[in-house]
Structures are given as structure tokens and as C-alpha cells.
Amino acid sequence: MDSPADSPMDSTTDRTASGRAVDARDRDDEGRARNARPRDGLGRPLPYGTDGVPRQPEGVVREPEETVAEAQRLLDEGKPFHAHEVFEDAWKSGPEEERQLWRGMAQLAVGLTHAARGNVTGGARLLRRGAGAVTDWAAPGAGRERPYGMNLGGVAEWARALAGEVEGGASVDAGARAPRLRG
């Protein structure tokens, strides 16, 4: 039998200010590791017990038009990290032939996230990678230039221009620099 000292509720267990055991891992209902720390608007972890921005629920299956509208709302609010989660849901739950599109859109949102956090190299790289993915997906003649009303050419142009500005030392306000997906 375990001794009282082995009990997870033992008073000698190191705990954070919020009462969470220091070595305990956040887990979902199915036992998968999750990071339950609150996050700011750019997805950066905050200390436990701090008020953060509500996170997007994972695994939500939306109609493509809903994905675009929800992602645009989050981008406009300066929450590109959260928009990336919406695109990621579409990437993981959508039809195989659209995965490159949604993955590219998620990369664009993460690129904006990194740029707004001041990560010049990562931000520019992801913006260009996402622009390449959506451009390749909407290759001329494929008839896929404006899926779900999105202007992929304009979005790719926005991403490449922003990547150059970021590399040139420009600071980025995520909400002010959000792309117009249906522009």
C-alpha cells in the first residue's frame, strides 16, 4: 500500500500558486496531454491563474463558409493564433482535396502570429510557405482561385508583402495587418 507521502494530495508535493502540482501534466478527458495554461491574444502562454483569451475549441467541424467567417473575425480581432486553430480544424476534417488549401491558410495565420510576436525569421518563412501553398492549390486553370469566396491571389500577395516588411524590421499589429480573406 502507498504511504501517505506518495499521495498526490500530500502537502509536501510542490504546487503552483493555483494549486496545480508542479509536475502534473494537463490532460483532456481521454488522457491526452493538453496545455491548459491561459493564453494571450497571440497564443502565448500566461501563468496559471491569469485571465487569458478564451481558446478555440478543438475538432470543430464547420461548413467551409463558417470556417472563413470565423477565421476572418478572429484575424480582425488580432487573434491570428486562434484563427489558425479554425483553419486547422478545416484541414483535419475537410475533404482530402482541400487539405493543402486549409493547411496553407493555417500557415498564413501562424506566420502573422509569429510576425506579431516579433519572430522575424519564423513569421516571414511561414507567411511565404502559406502563400506558396494556397497559390499552388489554386493553380491557374484549376478553377479554384476563389474557393468559398476567398481571394487566394490577394491573400498570397498580402502574405508576401508582409513577409518583406517584417524582414525589413517593421513591427506588426496583428489586427491592423489582418488580411481580407474575401477581399
Side-chain angles (χ1 to χ4, degrees):
M1 182 155 125
D2 292 339
S3 71
D6 294 330
S7 167
M9 296 307 290
D10 178 2
S11 63
T12 62
T13 301
D14 291 332
R15 298 192 175 278
T16 65
S18 66
R20 181 179 164 275
V22 170
D23 62 347
R25 293 186 69 187
D26 297 325
R27 300 221 176 249
D28 66 13
D29 293 338
E30 296 173 6
R32 291 185 302 253
R34 296 283 185 231
N35 187 340
R37 283 176 65 181
R39 304 241 174 202
D40 71 5
L42 292 175
R44 293 175 290 220
L46 299 169
Y48 284 99
T50 304
D51 287 334
V53 173
R55 294 182 71 176
Q56 288 298 118
E58 290 184 45
V60 176
V61 177
R62 298 173 182 87
E63 290 297 319
E65 292 81 3
E66 292 174 290
T67 294
V68 175
E70 179 67 3
Q72 185 69 69
R73 181 185 69 77
L74 292 163
L75 289 164
D76 291 344
E77 290 177 4
K79 300 175 186 170
F81 176 82
H82 304 283
H84 121 271
E85 291 177 327
V86 170
F87 287 132
E88 192 172 88
D89 284 340
W91 160 22
K92 291 179 178 179
S93 67
E96 181 67 36
E97 62 272 9
E98 292 184 0
R99 291 206 172 149
Q100 180 182 0
L101 165 67
W102 299 119
R103 183 176 57 234
M105 296 302 293
Q107 289 170 333
L108 291 170
V110 172
L112 178 56
T113 300
H114 282 284
R117 289 178 178 176
N119 177 355
V120 172
T121 303
R125 184 175 292 142
L126 281 163
L127 286 164
R128 286 193 178 100
R129 186 179 302 152
V134 300
T135 300
D136 289 349
W137 188 83
R144 305 190 297 195
E145 293 82 18
R146 294 189 64 89
Y148 312 110
M150 289 189 291
N151 177 359
L152 296 184
V155 170
E157 246 179 67
W158 161 86
R160 290 184 179 109
L162 184 58
E165 291 173 34
V166 167
E167 288 174 327
S171 62
V172 175
D173 175 323
R177 295 307 309 268
R180 302 302 321 149
L181 302 178
R182 291 182 169 145

